[in-house]
Amino acid sequence: MTREQLQQVAARLREAEATGIACDPIRDLISVGGIDAAYQVQQINRQFWGDQGRRSVGCKIGLTSQSVQQQLGVNQPDFGGLYADMAIADGDDIVINKVLQPKVEAEVALVLEHDLTMEQPTMTDLIRATAFVLPAIEIVGSRIANWNINILDTIADNASSGMYVLGNHPKKLDQLDLRLCGMVMTRKGEPVSVGAGQACLGHPLNAALWVSRTFASRGQGLKAGDTILTGALGPMVPAVAGDRFEARINGLGSVRIGFGKEA
């Protein structure tokens, strides 16, 4: 594929976000280049946003569930970037159309104290680099109409990113067993998603290690202060105006987000 073709696909995704009108799937436009082309599209938009002054603050990991991987015909997760303007304060409300076709999922977030830029970081490197852990809700969204996506669509679309909210009470890794931590997410007080840390590639740290190695292999690397959203602990839940969600994760506490009417 030519650089111009990749840039056209990237621009289509940016236009969908800017207008609030989801576009048709883009997978057929980049299928000849496969997953690498999809990441190139993502990187074009990362460069565009960076040039516009959008501040990168970490990354998110998707496709950490085996069932979702099987559904999309892949055997590995994917990743996308996080930006400062995607962060929401715990307990705040956002207008429902702030994210296209929003769905919510509960996750474990790591915040780094040290850079992770070395080649092939180890689990020891990751643990040493982690400052603290927080509960998180990710509001995922898709610029692709009706969530009609495959692996190429979601990677190119910054791993179907939207916004995210973190809890306010950090915990150290040595205070937790993230593999066994249970999660319950409620909507208006009623449980709508349950899970545990082991649903996320067997352990949230496994997911974080995968993305730190993947970033390093692509010449990037994670920096001190970056946030890593490690992936869903339970099923995603669609959000509509008037919804209010709270995710409680054993040992980590809770985090909340609400959705208001369209602006």
Side-chain angles (χ1 to χ4, degrees):
M1 294 190 66
T2 68
R3 180 73 174 178
E4 182 180 358
Q5 289 172 319
L6 295 170
Q7 288 174 333
Q8 289 173 351
V9 174
R12 177 182 292 193
L13 292 168
R14 294 199 307 272
E15 181 181 9
E17 181 166 20
T19 62
I21 301 173
C23 63
D24 291 334
I26 52 84
R27 52 185 174 265
D28 291 343
L29 302 176
I30 59 174
S31 59
V32 66
I35 285 178
D36 188 60
Y39 275 120
Q40 288 183 62
V41 171
Q42 183 187 128
Q43 182 57 35
I44 288 170
N45 280 337
R46 287 172 64 87
Q47 183 65 51
F48 177 88
W49 293 326
D51 291 344
Q52 297 296 308
R54 198 177 187 192
R55 184 166 68 92
S56 175
V57 294
C59 66
K60 59 151 290 182
I61 307 164
L63 306 180
T64 53
S65 162
Q66 287 188 348
S67 62
V68 176
Q69 288 182 12
Q70 291 169 359
Q71 180 183 3
L72 295 183
V74 296
N75 60 2
Q76 63 178 357
D78 70 344
F79 69 84
L82 297 179
Y83 297 88
D85 59 6
M86 294 166 59
I88 309 161
D90 184 15
D92 274 2
D93 289 356
I94 64 170
V95 294
I96 191 65
N97 58 334
K98 185 72 172 177
V99 175
L100 269 175
Q101 306 178 101
K103 300 182 180 183
V104 298
E105 55 189 31
E107 307 191 13
V108 170
L110 306 182
V111 179
L112 298 182
E113 184 174 12
H114 306 293
D115 292 353
L116 265 177
T117 55
M118 70 285 288
E119 292 184 9
Q120 284 296 106
T122 66
M123 183 64 77
T124 301
D125 294 323
L126 172 64
I127 291 171
R128 285 176 174 169
T130 300
F132 52 83
V133 190
L134 293 166
I137 292 176
E138 183 184 1
I139 303 102
V140 295
S142 182
R143 270 56 62 177
I144 307 299
N146 302 313
W147 278 92
N148 180 14
I149 63 172
N150 77 357
I151 183 65
L152 301 183
D153 295 298
T154 189
I155 289 175
D157 191 23
N158 198 34
S160 302
S161 64
M163 306 188 83
Y164 69 98
V165 54
L166 303 178
N168 292 325
H169 299 286
K171 298 292 179 66
K172 295 291 188 180
L173 274 175
D174 61 8
Q175 298 174 316
L176 305 162
D177 184 345
L178 292 179
R179 186 179 74 85
L180 296 179
C181 65
M183 178 279 296
V184 176
M185 185 166 65
T186 60
R187 178 172 55 203
K188 298 180 180 179
E190 296 296 324
V192 290
S193 180
V194 296
Q198 60 190 355
C200 181
L201 290 186
H203 196 298
L205 289 183
N206 293 342
L209 182 61
W210 176 84
V211 79
S212 65
R213 287 178 170 175
T214 304
F215 261 46
S217 72
R218 292 179 174 270
Q220 299 180 58
L222 295 163
K223 303 290 187 178
D226 278 353
T227 296
I228 304 174
L229 296 182
T230 59
L233 304 184
M236 292 190 302
V237 180
V240 299
D243 280 346
R244 187 158 191 84
F245 293 90
E246 180 176 10
R248 298 189 298 273
I249 302 175
N250 287 350
L252 279 179
S254 66
V255 58
R256 302 158 297 148
I257 184 66
F259 292 85
K261 294 180 181 179
E262 291 190 15

